[in-house]
Amino acid sequence: MTEHLLDGIEAVDVDTDRLRVRVLKRTADGDSGRPLVFVHGNCSSGLFFQRLMLDLPAELRPLALDLRGYGGSETKPVDATRGLADFADDVWAACDALGLEQVDLFGWSMGAGVVMQAIIDRPGRVRSATLQSPISPYGYGGTKDADGQLCFPDGAGAGAGAANPRFVELLGLDEADGTPEGDASFESASPRATLRGFYLAPRAWPTQ
């Protein structure tokens, strides 16, 4: 994934006691500056923070982590019964391996839920936290109160409950079936269209 790095950003692999974590950092920072750790959301990686990292003042040391199974980090199972705690433990393991005792945290979407869990687990190590479009630290189910009680017994209110039914149907479309010719709903609701429209920067997309 090094071909996707902007000038001034470098990627390093950090071995922790839990897994190998890909970390992006500014080339000019070295090991100096106040560490600011970025945690990305679902369907993304630390690459999303590159331009912001480059624009931050020199006194900060921005570090963007790839969560397990994303970007360049090692893929390992996630115990969903722990909410986002596996991810939060990974963040602290990476901080430990990097020798970071206290950090500022920035979390986006699912990453904001990870940051909240990280604060719950080790509040004394967090100087500040910024949450962008957060979800619950208990995961994608709709929850309430500090114990993560479900709002409804069947999990109503979860993010998946708002998914376009046509999108879900198209997830199961076999590649051998090809693109339904002339199907407008495929072009607007397909996983590929969703990925391009909501997660990737505009560009001249190839037809295949």
Side-chain angles (χ1 to χ4, degrees):
M1 297 180 64
T2 55
E3 68 271 18
H4 300 299
L5 297 177
L6 300 180
D7 289 341
I9 299 291
E10 62 181 280
V12 297
D13 289 327
V14 178
D15 290 321
T16 77
D17 59 4
R18 292 175 57 80
L19 77 168
R20 174 183 45 77
V21 177
R22 174 68 54 84
V23 180
L24 303 187
K25 62 180 184 177
R26 290 189 303 202
T27 306
D29 288 337
D31 295 328
S32 62
R34 174 171 166 167
L36 168 58
V37 177
F38 289 94
V39 185
H40 64 81
N42 196 21
C43 298
S44 58
S45 73
L47 292 172
F48 275 60
F49 295 112
Q50 290 186 94
R51 296 188 187 280
L52 176 57
M53 292 167 66
L54 291 171
D55 288 340
L56 290 172
E59 59 265 25
L60 293 176
R61 179 187 172 194
L63 301 160
L65 311 182
D66 287 348
L67 297 173
R68 64 169 62 194
Y70 292 88
S73 287
E74 186 176 355
T75 297
K76 284 195 170 185
V78 172
D79 181 358
T81 65
R82 303 185 67 221
L84 299 176
D86 275 352
F87 290 127
D89 289 347
D90 293 345
V91 169
W92 286 127
C95 290
D96 291 342
L98 291 166
L100 308 178
E101 182 56 34
Q102 282 201 318
V103 296
D104 298 287
L105 294 173
F106 181 104
W108 167 43
S109 190
M110 183 184 76
V114 174
V115 165
M116 282 191 279
Q117 186 61 55
I119 296 170
I120 291 169
D121 294 340
R122 304 189 189 183
R125 295 185 62 175
V126 182
R127 288 194 189 96
S128 71
T130 301
L131 307 177
Q132 174 67 41
S133 303
I135 70 167
S136 166
Y138 295 99
Y140 282 98
T143 65
K144 60 184 179 182
D145 70 35
D147 296 321
Q149 179 182 345
L150 286 173
C151 294
F152 301 97
D154 62 357
N164 184 329
R166 180 63 171 151
F167 174 84
V168 176
E169 178 185 349
L170 292 171
L171 282 174
L173 184 68
D174 192 285
E175 288 186 6
D177 296 333
T179 301
E181 186 174 354
D183 187 341
S185 69
F186 182 88
E187 293 304 321
S188 62
S190 73
R192 180 183 297 175
T194 301
L195 179 68
R196 290 176 176 177
F198 290 94
Y199 291 99
L200 303 178
R203 54 176 290 181
W205 294 106
T207 56
Q208 298 295 327

